[in-house]
């Protein structure tokens, strides 16, 4: 099931296999008018959700059909493996369902090919029902419009080890929250521990460049720009951390699992995570658990990163009023709150995060993390550019590794990464 923070962040990209550029752009060749009677048969496709949530979705569909007599919703669920390829094949063959579960990077090539309906034209009346950052997450640089209703969100707070901060002479009640504080405190922590304790276990990702305040793409959406002065500054500081062992020496090849293990064994002071991690700490490392602090993601912009899923309407559907109505119904505040209480995700609807479910702790690990994450989501944005593919992530990571190893300067590394990513962008 594509619910986890990591899974949402690493969704596959369609662009390399979707030969549809001749279809045009924007909201498709059909009319964007979604007015008219809500009736007819539509097909709704999800992404590996049926196994665990069959009753929930069947219930929502039944309620929708009751609200709109004359509608008939057929639900199909596809496995996570090969989901992007399946959407691509259906889009190319003209068999894409009327309503489709997508992530921003999956909707991008569909929007450019004219297959994703522009909701700014077809459903603008619903825009204010959603968090601004969530609505904007399905906008494509260089293309006007919004191409999916925001559905569920995810994010994670930052865990930190109070004991390690205290041992380094830092205030365990006031952990670093900006990158400048992380860089300063990280060097102190590494110096005090003589290089035995690092602050972080991962190299910077594209989200870090966004949270640092750098420009990720040019205004036209035609090229990447994370090699600007802010980007070079960020990577230069990470090089300083790496040289001082304030960045874990194995960060170049780290995975979320290995980084979590470093934090578990108390050789790293800070690490992002989830409620599942907290429960794991309590079971496997009770000493660490007693010293766990929970804070917001590190950010110099004041805004955390969000991961978001959406529901897109096929611009070519023959039942546009019904398809738009169902996509909105599935993502409205009532349905999103119901879904959020069944799985550890968060609603994208305005005001929902003020519900006591997301604001009041009851002493359990689950609510500690839920409340912390929900608070940050109110102003969070999706920093990952929708056009930034997995191949591009690999290019950036490889160039960063060379810079940290001293094989090239931070400026050279980011220039090379931008050049490689722009080349991939042009090929898509």
């Amino acid at each position: 099931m594509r619910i986890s923070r990591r899974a949402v962040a690493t969704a596959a990209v369609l662009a390399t296999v979707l030969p549809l550029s001749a279809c045009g752009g924007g909201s498709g060749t059909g009319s964007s008018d979604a007015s008219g009677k809500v009736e007819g048969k539509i097909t709704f496709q999800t992404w590996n959700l049926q196994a665990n949530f069959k009753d929930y979705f069947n219930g929502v569909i039944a309620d929708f059909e009751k609200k709109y007599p004359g509608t008939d919703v057929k639900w199909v669920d596809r496995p996570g493996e090969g989901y992007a390829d399946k959407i691509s094949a259906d889009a190319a063959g003209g068999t894409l369902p009327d309503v489709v579960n997508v992530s921003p990077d999956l909707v991008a090539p569909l929007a450019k090919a004219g297959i994703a309906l522009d909701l700014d034209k077809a459903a603008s009346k619903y825009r204010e029902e959603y968090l601004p950052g969530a609505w904007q997450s399905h906008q494509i640089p260089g293309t006007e419009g919004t191409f999916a209703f925001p559905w569920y969100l995810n994010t994670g707070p930052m865990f930190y080890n109070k004991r390690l901060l205290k041992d380094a002479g830092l205030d365990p009640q006031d952990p670093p929250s900006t990158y400048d504080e992380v860089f300063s405190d990280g060097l102190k922590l590494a110096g005090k521990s003589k290089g035995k304790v690092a602050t972080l276990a991962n190299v910077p990702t594209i989200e870090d460049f966004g949270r640092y305040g750098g420009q990720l793409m040019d205004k036209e959406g035609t090229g990447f720009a994370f090699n600007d002065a802010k980007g070079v500054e960020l990577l230069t500081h990470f090089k300083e951390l790496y040289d001082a062992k304030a960045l874990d020496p194995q960060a170049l090849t780290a995975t979320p699992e290995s980084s979590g293990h470093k934090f578990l064994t108390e050789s790293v002071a800070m690490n992002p995570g989830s409620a599942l991690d907290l429960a794991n700490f309590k079971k496997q490392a009770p000493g660490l658990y007693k010293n766990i602090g929970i804070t917001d993601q590190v950010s110099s912009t004041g805004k955390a990163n969000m991961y978001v899923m959406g529901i897109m309407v096929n611009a070519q559907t023959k039942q546009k009023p019904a398809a738009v109505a169902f996509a909105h119904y599935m993502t409205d505040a009532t349905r999103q709150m119901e879904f959020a209480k069944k799985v550890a995700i968060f609603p994208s609807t305005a005001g929902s995060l003020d519900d006591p479910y997301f604001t009041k702790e009851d002493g359990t690990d689950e609510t500690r993390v839920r409340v912390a994450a929900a608070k940050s989501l109110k102003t969070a944005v999706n920093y990952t550019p929708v056009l930034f593919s997995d191949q591009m992530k690999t290019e950036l990571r490889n160039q960063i590794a060379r810079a940290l190893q001293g094989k090239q300067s931070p400026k050279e590394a980011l220039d090379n990464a931008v050049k490689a990513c722009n080349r991939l962008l042009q090929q898509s």
Side-chain angles (χ1 to χ4, degrees):
M1 184 185 73
R2 295 275 174 147
I3 288 286
S4 72
R5 183 172 64 91
R6 182 184 175 199
V8 170
T10 56
V13 180
L14 286 160
T16 58
V17 290
L18 185 60
L20 295 166
S21 57
C23 295
S27 60
T29 55
S31 169
S32 62
D33 184 13
S35 62
K37 187 176 181 180
V38 177
E39 61 182 358
K41 294 183 178 181
I42 59 172
T43 301
F44 168 50
Q45 178 174 293
T46 54
W47 184 351
N48 202 20
L49 293 171
Q50 192 169 40
N52 295 310
F53 304 104
K54 183 177 181 179
D55 291 342
Y56 169 75
F57 284 99
N58 283 335
V60 171
I61 290 170
D63 290 343
F64 176 80
E65 292 174 343
K66 182 178 180 180
K67 181 177 180 180
Y68 295 102
T71 58
D72 184 354
V73 180
K74 178 184 178 182
W75 175 32
V76 295
D77 188 65
R78 303 299 183 191
E81 187 70 25
Y83 188 75
D85 292 341
K86 176 60 177 173
I87 290 181
S88 175
D90 286 345
T95 58
L96 191 70
D98 304 279
V99 182
V100 186
N101 175 195
V102 292
S103 57
D105 58 339
L106 294 183
V107 82
L110 295 173
K112 289 199 167 188
I115 296 173
L117 185 67
D118 179 3
L119 300 180
D120 286 339
K121 294 180 179 178
S124 60
K125 64 182 179 181
Y126 299 127
R127 180 173 186 155
E128 298 304 315
E129 295 182 19
Y130 302 88
L131 294 170
W135 185 267
Q136 294 165 9
S137 66
H138 289 93
Q139 295 174 352
I140 316 301
T143 302
E144 292 186 5
T146 300
F147 298 96
F149 283 101
W151 194 12
Y152 57 83
L153 309 177
N154 221 327
T155 191
M158 179 70 79
F159 292 132
Y160 67 97
N161 189 316
K162 293 180 180 179
R163 181 185 66 80
L164 294 180
L165 265 62
K166 184 178 181 180
D167 289 349
L170 303 172
D171 185 354
Q173 303 304 321
D174 186 24
S177 59
T178 67
Y179 284 91
D180 288 344
E181 291 171 350
V182 167
F183 299 144
S184 175
D185 291 357
L187 294 175
K188 292 177 183 177
L189 200 151
K192 192 72 174 181
S193 66
K194 297 182 179 179
K196 293 182 180 179
V197 177
T199 300
L200 300 171
N202 291 288
V203 300
T205 62
I206 193 67
E207 292 91 348
D208 287 292
F209 288 90
R211 290 196 301 258
Y212 192 63
Q215 184 178 353
L216 303 182
M217 295 197 76
D218 59 34
K219 294 181 180 180
E220 295 74 29
T222 57
F224 294 98
F226 52 82
N227 59 337
D228 65 355
K230 293 289 289 186
V232 174
E233 184 178 281
L234 176 71
L235 186 51
T236 299
H237 283 304
F238 265 90
K239 177 67 165 70
E240 293 170 355
L241 292 183
Y242 186 75
D243 290 343
K245 295 186 179 181
L247 180 64
D248 186 78
Q250 297 178 349
L252 303 185
T253 57
T255 64
E257 291 76 17
S258 65
S259 299
H261 181 72
K262 290 280 185 178
F263 186 74
L264 188 72
T265 57
E266 300 191 67
S267 59
V268 170
M270 303 181 72
N271 200 59
S274 69
L276 296 177
D277 295 317
L278 203 56
N280 187 46
F281 299 151
K282 186 175 183 179
K283 180 179 180 181
Q284 297 190 24
L288 167 66
Y289 179 77
K290 292 178 181 178
N291 290 294
I292 286 289
I294 303 175
T295 189
D296 294 337
Q297 293 177 17
V298 175
S299 176
S300 295
T301 65
K303 297 181 179 181
N305 184 63
M306 72 164 66
Y307 302 99
V308 58
M309 273 290 178
I311 294 184
M312 183 200 90
V313 175
N314 185 346
Q316 311 301 328
T317 178
K318 296 179 180 179
Q319 304 292 347
K320 206 165 266 118
V324 170
F326 181 76
H328 170 253
Y329 190 81
M330 179 60 69
T331 61
D332 70 13
T334 299
R335 257 52 61 177
Q336 290 213 43
M337 278 299 300
E338 290 174 354
F339 197 38
K341 292 181 179 181
K342 294 181 178 295
V343 64
I345 49 88
F346 300 86
S348 63
T349 40
S352 295
L353 296 176
D354 293 323
D355 188 275
Y357 184 74
F358 297 110
T359 59
K360 293 185 178 181
E361 294 187 26
D362 60 10
T364 64
D365 293 338
E366 182 180 4
T367 58
R368 287 177 68 193
V369 177
R370 182 198 304 148
V371 169
K375 182 180 178 181
S376 70
L377 277 171
K378 290 183 179 181
T379 58
V381 297
N382 180 18
Y383 284 108
T384 304
V386 296
L387 302 175
F388 201 69
S389 69
D390 283 346
Q391 284 180 287
M392 295 173 188
K393 293 174 187 176
T394 299
E395 289 286 354
L396 176 59
R397 185 181 182 89
N398 289 343
Q399 295 299 332
I400 285 176
R402 288 178 56 81
L404 297 180
Q405 293 170 325
K407 296 179 180 179
Q408 59 186 352
S409 71
K411 173 63 173 169
E412 291 171 332
L414 295 182
D415 285 346
N416 289 336
V418 164
K419 186 182 299 183
C421 291
N422 284 341
R423 183 173 62 249
L424 290 168
L425 184 62
Q426 293 168 3
Q427 294 173 358
S428 65

